[in-house]
C-alpha cells in the first residue's frame, strides 16, 4: 500500500513533462510561422536584386553549382520611375517645311544707283484716282535688267575744227576751257556730250514736198554718222514733227540699245528741209554706254506701289472728260515691259536705269470710252527711291 502515492507522483511528473514538451513545440511552430510571414513581407516590399552582368553571372558560385536563379516576374503596373520616363518622352512634332531663301538681288558693277529721273503724279496734271486690277501673271514681270553707264565724250581743238570744216563753217573755233568750244559766228557749240549746230545759210531750194517718214529718218541718221556726231549704235528714229506746208520736219534718233528711252539723253534731234538740208541739230550723245546687269525689285513690291498710287500715270489729257473734280474709275493692266530714264548728275556720273511699265485701259466716268494708260514704277533694287 505504500507504493500508491509514488506512482501517482510519477504519472503527474510525466504529464508535466509532456505538457512542457508540447508547449515548446507549439512555441517553435508559432515562431516558425512568424518568421515565414516576416520573410514573405520583406520579399514583397523589397525589389528584386539587379541582374548581374554576363561576366559576373558566370563567375557566381550559384551558377557553378548548377542552381537556377529564379527570375522575378515583371510587375503588371509600371513603377514610379517608369511612369516618369514615359511622361518625359517628348511627343514627336511634324517636320517643319523647308522655306527656300529669297535670292539676294544682283548688284551690278556700278554699285548702288542714284534715284531715277521721273515725274510724279500723271501726265494730265489733274486729280485722277484709279482702281487698278492686274490682268496678267506677276511671273511675267522681269527680275533682272541691264543698267547703262554713260561714258562722257571729250573733244580736242583739232577735232572741233575738223567738224566745223566738214559742216562748211569758216568761222574761227574758240576754246572756252573746261572741254567746251564754240565758233565765233555762233553756229556750233560743243561741251562734252552736247553738240548744237545751226545752219546760218538760208534754204534756197524752194522745195516744200517732204518725203516720207522713212526717208527723212534715214537722211538724218546718215548725216549724223557721216559727221561722227553719233556712233554706229544709232538706232531707228521717229519723225517728231512734220510740217508739210512749210516743208520742215524734225527727226529724233535714239541708240539701238536700250529700247524705250524716255529721257532726252541720249538723243539726236535733226531739223530737215524737203531737199534734205540740215537746218539745225541738237545732239546729246555719250561716247559709249557701258552695260551691267542689276536685279529688280520683286513683282509684289512693284504692284503694291501701283495700287498705292506711287507710280507715274501716263494718260492722254485730250481723252479725259472736261468735268471738274477728281476723275475715278477702274483700270485693267494687261501687259508689262521695260522703259529707261536717266539717273545721276551730268557733272558726276549718269546712268540709264530701267523702269517697269504696266499698260492697259482705264474706264473713267464721263469719258467716251476706254482710255489707254501706262504706269511707270522705279524698278532697280539697289537704287535710291525718287523724291516726291
Amino acid at each position: 500500500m505504500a507504493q500508491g502515492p509514488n506512482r501517482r507522483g510519477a504519472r503527474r511528473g510525466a504529464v508535466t513533462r509532456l505538457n512542457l514538451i508540447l508547449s515548446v513545440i507549439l512555441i517553435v511552430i508559432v515562431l516558425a510561422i512568424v518568421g515565414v510571414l516576416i520573410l514573405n513581407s520583406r520579399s514583397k516590399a523589397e525589389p528584386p536584386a539587379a541582374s548581374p552582368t554576363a561576366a559576373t553571372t558566370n563567375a557566381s558560385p550559384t551558377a557553378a553549382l548548377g542552381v537556377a536563379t529564379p527570375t522575378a516576374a515583371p510587375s503588371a503596373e509600371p513603377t514610379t520611375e517608369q511612369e516618369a520616363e514615359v511622361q518625359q518622352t517628348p511627343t514627336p512634332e511634324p517636320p517643319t517645311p523647308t522655306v527656300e531663301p529669297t535670292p539676294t538681288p544682283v548688284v551690278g558693277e556700278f554699285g548702288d544707283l542714284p534715284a531715277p529721273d521721273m515725274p510724279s503724279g500723271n501726265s494730265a496734271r489733274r486729280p485722277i484716282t484709279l482702281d487698278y486690277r492686274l490682268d496678267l501673271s506677276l511671273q511675267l514681270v522681269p527680275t533682272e535688267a541691264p543698267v547703262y553707264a554713260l561714258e562722257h565724250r571729250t573733244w580736242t581743238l583739232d577735232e572741233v575744227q575738223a567738224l566745223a570744216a566738214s559742216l562748211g563753217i569758216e568761222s574761227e573755233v574758240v576754246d572756252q576751257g573746261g572741254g567746251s568750244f564754240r565758233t565765233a559766228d555762233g553756229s556750233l557749240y560743243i561741251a562734252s556730250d552736247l553738240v548744237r549746230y545751226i545752219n546760218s545759210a538760208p534754204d534756197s531750194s524752194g522745195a516744200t514736198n517732204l518725203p516720207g517718214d522713212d526717208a527723212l529718218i534715214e537722211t538724218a541718221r546718215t548725216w549724223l554718222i557721216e559727221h561722227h556726231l553719233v556712233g554706229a549704235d544709232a538706232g531707228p528714229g521717229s519723225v517728231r514733227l512734220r510740217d508739210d506746208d512749210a516743208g520742215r520736219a524734225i527727226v529724233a534718233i535714239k541708240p539701238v540699245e536700250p529700247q524705250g528711252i524716255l529721257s532726252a539723253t541720249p538723243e539726236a534731234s535733226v531739223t530737215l528741209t524737203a531737199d534734205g538740208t540740215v537746218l539745225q541739230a541738237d545732239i546729246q550723245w555719250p561716247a559709249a554706254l557701258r552695260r551691267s546687269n542689276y536685279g529688280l525689285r520683286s513683282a509684289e513690291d512693284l504692284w503694291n506701289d501701283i495700287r498705292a498710287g506711287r507710280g507715274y500715270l501716263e494718260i492722254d489729257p485730250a481723252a479725259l472728260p472736261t468735268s471738274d473734280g477728281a476723275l475715278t474709275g477702274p483700270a485693267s493692266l494687261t501687259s508689262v515691259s521695260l522703259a529707261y530714264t536717266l539717273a545721276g548728275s551730268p557733272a558726276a556720273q549718269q546712268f540709264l536705269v530701267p523702269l517697269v511699265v504696266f499698260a492697259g485701259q482705264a474706264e473713267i466716268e464721263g469719258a467716251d470710252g476706254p482710255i489707254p494708260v501706262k504706269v511707270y514704277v522705279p524698278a532697280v533694287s539697289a537704287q535710291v527711291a525718287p523724291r516726291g
Side-chain angles (χ1 to χ4, degrees):
M1 295 299 291
Q3 295 176 352
N6 292 334
R7 288 179 180 176
R8 290 190 186 122
R11 288 177 181 174
R12 289 175 183 170
V15 171
T16 300
R17 286 194 298 274
L18 179 61
N19 290 335
L20 180 59
I21 292 170
L22 292 175
S23 297
V24 171
I25 293 171
L26 181 60
I27 290 171
V28 171
I29 293 172
V30 170
L31 290 176
I33 293 172
V34 171
V36 171
L37 294 175
I38 291 173
L39 291 176
N40 288 339
S41 64
R42 286 182 178 179
S43 64
K44 291 180 179 180
E46 295 179 1
S51 300
T53 60
T56 306
T57 302
N58 293 336
S60 66
T62 305
L65 294 174
V67 179
T69 304
T71 304
S75 175
E77 297 181 358
T79 63
T80 304
E81 294 179 357
Q82 291 173 339
E83 290 178 353
E85 290 179 359
V86 172
Q87 293 176 356
Q88 293 176 1
T89 303
T91 303
E93 298 181 356
T96 303
T98 302
V99 179
E100 294 294 335
T102 303
T104 303
V106 175
V107 178
E109 63 175 286
F110 312 134
D112 290 343
L113 301 171
D117 182 9
M118 61 177 294
S120 59
N122 61 77
S123 57
R125 305 298 179 190
R126 296 179 59 180
I128 301 176
T129 303
L130 298 179
D131 182 15
Y132 292 105
R133 183 178 70 250
L134 191 64
D135 287 338
L136 75 156
S137 172
L138 286 177
Q139 294 181 351
L140 298 177
V141 178
T143 58
E144 287 189 11
V147 170
Y148 300 84
L150 278 67
E151 296 184 355
H152 297 304
R153 188 169 184 177
T154 57
W155 293 81
T156 65
L157 179 60
D158 291 341
E159 289 174 337
V160 176
Q161 289 175 337
L163 174 61
S166 68
L167 295 173
I169 301 174
E170 298 179 355
S171 179
E172 178 187 4
V173 176
V174 179
D175 186 347
Q176 301 183 120
S180 66
F181 305 85
R182 66 175 179 83
T183 57
D185 62 356
S187 58
L188 181 63
Y189 173 78
I190 294 177
S192 185
D193 298 339
L194 174 64
V195 176
R196 180 164 296 159
Y197 165 69
I198 299 175
N199 190 348
S200 57
D203 178 19
S204 58
S205 66
T208 58
N209 295 325
L210 289 171
D213 288 356
D214 291 342
L216 290 171
I217 293 170
E218 185 58 31
T219 299
R221 188 174 184 275
T222 301
W223 182 86
L224 291 167
I225 294 175
E226 285 179 350
H227 291 90
H228 307 288
L229 296 172
V230 298
D233 58 341
S238 61
V239 176
R240 184 162 294 171
L241 177 65
R242 183 185 180 101
D243 187 346
D244 289 286
D245 294 334
R248 301 285 188 273
I250 299 177
V251 176
I253 303 292
K254 290 282 190 182
V256 67
E257 183 186 354
Q259 297 181 4
I261 299 176
L262 304 176
S263 55
T265 302
E267 181 180 278
S269 176
V270 180
T271 302
L272 298 171
T273 64
D275 66 349
T277 300
V278 174
L279 297 180
Q280 183 173 332
D282 292 284
I283 303 151
Q284 297 187 66
W285 205 277
L289 294 174
R290 189 156 50 94
R291 168 178 173 160
S292 181
N293 279 352
Y294 273 74
L296 304 185
R297 298 164 56 210
S298 69
E300 291 78 7
D301 286 348
L302 299 173
W303 174 236
N304 288 336
D305 276 359
I306 290 178
R307 296 179 62 188
R310 291 191 289 267
Y312 174 71
L313 172 63
E314 182 181 281
I315 190 169
D316 183 7
L320 297 174
T322 57
S323 58
D324 296 332
L327 302 176
T328 61
S332 174
L333 303 179
T334 56
S335 66
V336 63
S337 61
L338 291 177
Y340 279 82
T341 187
L342 276 179
S345 168
Q349 178 66 66
Q350 285 183 300
F351 305 91
L352 283 174
V353 297
L355 307 173
V356 171
V357 187
F358 291 86
Q361 290 185 328
E363 297 180 1
I364 296 178
E365 295 182 10
D368 295 335
I371 304 173
V373 295
K374 289 183 178 179
V375 187
Y376 298 82
V377 188
V380 180
S381 178
Q383 185 175 32
V384 177
R387 295 186 298 270

